[in-house]
Amino acid sequence: MTGTAGTARPLRDRANARAVARLVGARPVLETIAPAHDVVPGMTARTILVSGPPMPWRDYRGGQRRAVLGAALYEGLARDEAEADALLADGTLAVRASHDHATVGSLTGVCTASMPVVVVRDDATGGRAYCRMNEGADRASLTFGVWDDGVGTRLRHVCEVVSPALAEVLDHLGGLPLTPLVRRALAMGDDLHSRHTAAGALLRTAVLDAVLDLSVRRVDERYRALASYLATAEYLFLHVVMAAAKAAADAASGIPGSTLVTAMNLNEKQFGLRVSGLGQRWFTAPLPPESTLRGRLHDGWTTDDLAYVGGESLITETVGLGGMAAAAAMPLQDHSAGTPAGMLRLTEQMYGITLREHPEYRIPALAYRGVPCGIDVLRVAETGVVPAIHLGATLRTGGHAGAVLFRPPVEPFRQAARQLSALTPSGPSSTPARPRRTP
């Protein structure tokens, strides 16, 4: 075989080997907590970050829209929702995609300048990624598409009291390596997306041990507030691992010819993905109906009560966690594949669309096989098997409704595969160079 057909596969394999090596070679460390305007690239006082592929402001209609309007009021950028809407419509306030600012956001993904973000550093590359700090345990939160005075009060408490105390603890620790925590949590029944119970406990233990050490030196009431927050903020570690996965995926981005998926996310209307070899371009398709979601919902809710509000916690699946690691998280079987055997089958199917098994993140139920890591957009396009995603469910009226198994549309994977095929090297770069004639 000669020419383009003969060289495309080896070039792609080399590119994918580089990309997936960077993905699994990441060494994430929870470095600190800081206001977004101090650390997030390109953040301004009038910027509001949201999850999902970018859309014009006029296209936001549901919970994500409510969260953006609430965030503008929280920052004092408008006197009421009508004024905030007008400022967003004329561009005075800018809605920006989180991924374009090295950031990911859970569900609505809303983040503004003063809000504290977790800062995760990849020690392998020096790159950093960010995710807004979780505001607490209440089902009514900006994350879940709710804005009211209570949400504002909880946001201010986290901003003014909890986050400075946690930043001080992390400074005392010199940062907290995350790979050991993720590895242990997988062995304790977490998938690190819909279930992070063990990871949260491990993080809480590490932080409280440091708090005790610091308390010997001086009494600080903020530490009491931090301890109370850690006891109830069940989604804190999700936001931490999201930033860790973003840092790893960014390290694997921008490698010409690579077919590795580096981001997946949702806004209110679309599913989108990015591929390493195709840069910052989003490939999108409409979201499937909420009736296709499968899982367990709180308080007797049904899928008729649900609505998408966005989400970027799907970044965890890009490194082999979440639904990709379903076999590690048997407590989630009712929210996912339904049975223990189904959870095993689900993960085993994912090995067919990925490039490698993660050398650190392993699944006890599969004889400690590494999680399926590095989603290959070509394999998805060819087989029609889409990544399994464990996703939080939200109500049309706002609020957390439970957890579900989400199957993204296959079309964006096929769009990206076609684009990669169109960019297949040809001409002199894809054929052996002919020797020059000597005079």
Side-chain angles (χ1 to χ4, degrees):
M1 189 179 292
T2 60
T4 299
T7 59
R9 179 65 180 270
L11 288 171
R12 185 178 73 227
D13 289 348
R14 287 195 292 272
N16 280 338
R18 288 178 58 204
V20 79
R22 291 183 184 181
L23 191 72
V24 303
R27 290 295 175 264
V29 175
L30 177 55
E31 187 174 40
T32 191
I33 311 293
H37 61 69
D38 288 352
V39 292
V40 171
M43 193 68 174
T44 74
R46 292 183 172 271
T47 298
I48 300 176
L49 302 184
V50 296
S51 60
M55 291 195 303
W57 171 244
R58 64 179 179 273
D59 289 345
Y60 290 92
R61 287 288 180 268
Q64 203 164 31
R65 178 185 177 87
R66 288 193 298 271
V68 171
L69 292 171
L73 298 180
Y74 173 78
E75 289 287 352
L77 298 172
R79 288 166 295 185
D80 54 35
E81 288 192 6
E83 183 181 20
D85 187 16
L87 294 173
L88 287 156
D90 70 17
T92 302
L93 302 182
V95 176
R96 294 285 184 262
S98 296
H99 269 285
D100 292 338
H101 296 262
T103 302
V104 281
S106 180
L107 291 171
T108 65
V110 170
C111 180
T112 56
S114 73
M115 293 179 184
V117 295
V118 301
V119 181
V120 173
R121 180 185 72 248
D122 175 14
D123 272 353
T125 64
R128 287 176 173 80
Y130 313 89
C131 183
R132 179 169 65 82
M133 191 171 171
N134 176 255
E135 61 257 61
D138 203 294
R139 292 186 193 175
S141 68
L142 212 61
T143 297
F144 300 131
V146 177
W147 168 253
D148 57 29
D149 290 343
V151 172
T153 297
R154 288 189 290 278
L155 285 169
R156 280 187 287 274
H157 176 68
V158 170
C159 177
E160 297 169 5
V161 180
V162 175
S163 65
L166 183 51
E168 186 173 325
V169 170
L170 291 170
D171 181 65
H172 174 70
L173 290 170
L176 185 63
L178 296 173
T179 298
L181 298 186
V182 173
R183 186 172 57 231
R184 291 180 63 190
L186 282 167
M188 297 166 71
D190 282 359
D191 73 326
L192 280 304
H193 187 168
S194 283
R195 189 179 195 273
H196 22 78
T197 306
L202 294 169
L203 174 64
R204 186 161 58 249
T205 297
V207 170
L208 292 181
D209 282 350
V211 165
L212 288 173
D213 188 32
L214 287 167
S215 297
V216 170
R217 307 177 190 185
R218 63 185 175 87
V219 175
D220 190 329
E221 282 302 312
R222 294 179 309 163
Y223 296 156
R224 189 185 301 277
L226 174 59
S228 177
Y229 168 84
L230 291 171
T232 58
E234 61 177 303
Y235 300 104
L236 173 61
F237 198 88
L238 171 61
H239 291 217
V240 171
V241 80
M242 284 171 60
K246 170 65 172 168
D250 279 358
S253 300
I255 297 177
S258 173
T259 62
L260 181 141
V261 174
T262 53
M264 298 186 293
N265 63 10
L266 320 174
N267 55 36
E268 290 181 340
K269 296 183 176 183
Q270 300 170 308
F271 167 81
L273 62 87
R274 281 176 170 171
V275 179
S276 176
L278 297 173
Q280 303 304 301
R281 178 177 173 182
W282 288 106
F283 296 87
T284 65
L287 290 166
E290 288 87 351
S291 59
T292 64
L293 299 173
R294 186 203 179 286
R296 188 171 68 184
L297 306 178
H298 303 312
D299 302 330
W301 302 113
T302 71
T303 54
D304 291 338
D305 301 302
L306 303 183
Y308 294 106
V309 298
E312 289 176 334
S313 51
L314 291 67
I315 194 71
T316 56
E317 272 79 6
T318 65
V319 298
L321 303 174
M324 308 295 284
M330 291 301 169
L332 286 177
Q333 59 188 273
D334 287 346
H335 301 76
S336 180
T339 65
M343 300 294 268
L344 294 172
R345 286 194 300 271
L346 189 60
T347 293
E348 287 169 347
Q349 189 180 41
M350 296 300 101
Y351 288 109
I353 60 169
T354 49
L355 295 167
R356 186 170 171 183
E357 297 177 20
H358 201 291
E360 298 277 357
Y361 303 157
R362 298 179 178 274
I363 301 175
L366 296 177
Y368 288 91
R369 190 177 182 183
V371 299
C373 183
I375 299 163
D376 183 349
V377 75
L378 293 188
R379 296 185 189 183
V380 176
E382 290 166 359
T383 64
V385 175
V386 294
I389 295 170
H390 287 165
L391 192 67
T394 47
L395 298 169
R396 293 186 184 280
T397 54
H400 187 213
V404 292
L405 178 64
F406 171 72
R407 300 279 194 175
V410 73
E411 184 53 31
F413 297 90
R414 290 176 173 158
Q415 292 173 22
R418 289 193 292 269
Q419 183 64 26
L420 285 161
S421 295
L423 295 176
T424 298
S426 60
S429 62
S430 65
T431 57
R434 294 181 180 178
R436 292 185 179 179
R437 294 191 182 198
T438 54

